[in-house]
Amino acid sequence: MVTSRSALVIGCGISGLACARRLQAAGYHVTIITREAPRATTSNVAAALWYPYRCAPREKALLWSKATFEELLRQHRDGVPGVTPTTFIELFDHDRPTPWWAEATGGVTRLTVNGLPPGYAVGFAATVPVVETPLYLPYLVEQFSAAGGTLQIGELASLDEACATYPLVINCSGLGARTLANDPEVFPIRGQVVRVSNPGVRRALTDDEGPRRISYTIPRQTDVILGGTALPHVWDTTPDAATTERILRHCRELEPALASAQVLEVRVGLRPGRTAVRLERERRGVGVVIHNYGHGGAGFTLAWGCADEVLHLARAT
């Protein structure tokens, strides 16, 4: 039964799940409606390294990412499955100032040539969370259900339809917001990754601007996620063989130990890009919609900080 403390969350990726859990903890009765089953969302394809990547505005992203950083480390201490603190190094082939995101981690260590892959002049190292999505996302769904949440597979025709039933609607529809919220600023950022066996790699590396751009190696317990691409306005989700070969070549150059890794899977996901994250409240008739989408390549980096702000806006309705 829908009451004044009922809320509908649209979307079951990491943003939707984080919002649902925050609302439940505050006493809301939450229903999630999702077009795709939880295991089929873009979040399941993500390498899920904490890294504020291709998201804006920077000032807010710093606050949201800091809150998420702290929450994920707390979850790790509490034994939540799939959250692992990992050494992360951002690589550059030329001298650079300290990255803007360093403040959110409590600081970074500046590395020079020694200890870096060939061809790089500087690296910035920090210990950050890596989320193993096949473990973490099912855990959140289980926690949501155990707290009395309802998950429905379906598609809404409009936000007005949702507001006709629920007094509070949280729009975490990602790319779906392009039509659901009539927002032409939303666009896909195509990401292709290769999942390989883990031969003992423990550090995460990224090169976003240098000789192997865009490349990253994200270790998990038994596998490593290798990437990647960040192609704006590309909707094709068919894996490209030439891209796979380029990813493997560049990542093996970054981490020679990966030469012995077995290729397990190639996947493509469409990140929900936008000029800036849309996180704001909108009144529709007697209902309220809180929009929370457009996180680009930083869904797992911003999720819990954005969920905190969603809850703040919900309480202000």
Side-chain angles (χ1 to χ4, degrees):
M1 183 178 69
V2 174
T3 71
S4 61
R5 297 292 289 175
S6 297
L8 177 69
V9 174
I10 305 170
C12 198
I14 183 57
S15 294
L17 287 170
C19 288
R21 293 295 293 131
R22 281 292 189 257
L23 290 167
Q24 284 182 316
Y28 286 85
H29 305 288
V30 183
T31 298
I32 293 176
I33 186 167
T34 175
R35 184 172 55 188
E36 300 166 317
R39 290 184 179 276
T41 63
T42 298
S43 290
N44 278 275
V45 183
L49 168 78
W50 183 98
Y51 179 41
Y53 184 66
R54 304 211 176 193
C55 57
R58 184 168 290 186
E59 298 78 11
K60 288 186 176 181
L62 186 64
L63 296 175
W64 294 329
S65 61
K66 185 175 188 297
T68 303
F69 181 90
E70 293 170 351
E71 173 64 13
L72 288 174
L73 290 185
R74 183 197 66 77
Q75 291 181 14
H76 167 70
R77 291 191 298 270
D78 289 348
V80 171
V83 183
T84 305
T86 303
T87 298
F88 161 56
I89 305 174
E90 186 177 34
L91 298 166
F92 297 95
D93 62 350
H94 57 281
D95 196 22
R96 285 287 298 265
T98 300
W100 66 273
W101 50 263
E103 180 184 337
T105 68
V108 298
T109 300
R110 184 185 182 90
L111 306 175
T112 51
V113 177
N114 289 339
L116 299 179
Y120 296 96
V122 65
F124 297 96
T127 300
V128 307
V130 169
V131 174
E132 195 159 349
T133 57
L135 300 176
Y136 187 70
L137 293 174
Y139 167 82
L140 291 183
V141 172
E142 288 173 9
Q143 293 296 300
F144 170 74
S145 298
T150 301
L151 195 152
Q152 300 176 358
I153 306 296
E155 191 166 359
L156 290 166
S158 68
L159 290 174
D160 290 334
E161 175 190 347
C163 290
T165 303
Y166 290 89
L168 177 63
V169 176
I170 315 300
N171 177 20
C172 299
S173 57
L175 275 178
R178 187 176 175 90
T179 53
L180 188 63
N182 192 28
D183 187 349
E185 286 192 48
V186 181
F187 62 93
I189 304 173
R190 184 185 187 274
Q192 179 167 321
V193 298
V194 182
R195 188 170 68 89
V196 301
S197 61
N198 192 339
V201 174
R202 289 292 172 259
R203 65 179 182 176
L205 302 173
T206 68
D207 173 1
D208 195 51
E209 302 176 8
R212 299 176 183 90
R213 64 180 174 277
I214 297 169
S215 298
Y216 49 84
T217 62
I218 315 298
R220 306 194 300 190
Q221 296 303 307
T222 62
D223 56 15
V224 186
I225 303 299
L226 310 181
T229 64
L231 303 176
H233 306 287
V234 177
W235 290 91
D236 185 9
T237 58
T238 304
D240 176 72
T243 299
T244 297
E245 290 305 311
R246 189 265 301 166
I247 289 171
L248 289 170
R249 182 176 70 256
H250 283 176
C251 289
R252 286 166 177 164
E253 291 170 357
L254 288 178
E255 282 284 12
L258 292 169
S260 63
Q262 178 186 357
V263 174
L264 304 174
E265 185 179 22
V266 179
R267 299 187 70 182
V268 174
L270 302 179
R271 307 175 182 98
R274 198 172 183 272
T275 53
V277 174
R278 186 183 184 191
L279 208 174
E280 63 184 5
R281 183 174 57 202
E282 176 189 8
R283 183 164 289 280
R284 286 188 171 234
V286 296
V288 168
V289 176
I290 300 175
H291 298 282
N292 179 31
Y293 62 83
H295 301 92
F300 281 87
T301 305
L302 305 179
W304 292 101
C306 288
D308 289 339
E309 187 162 334
V310 166
L311 178 58
H312 174 76
L313 292 174
R315 284 171 163 163
T317 58

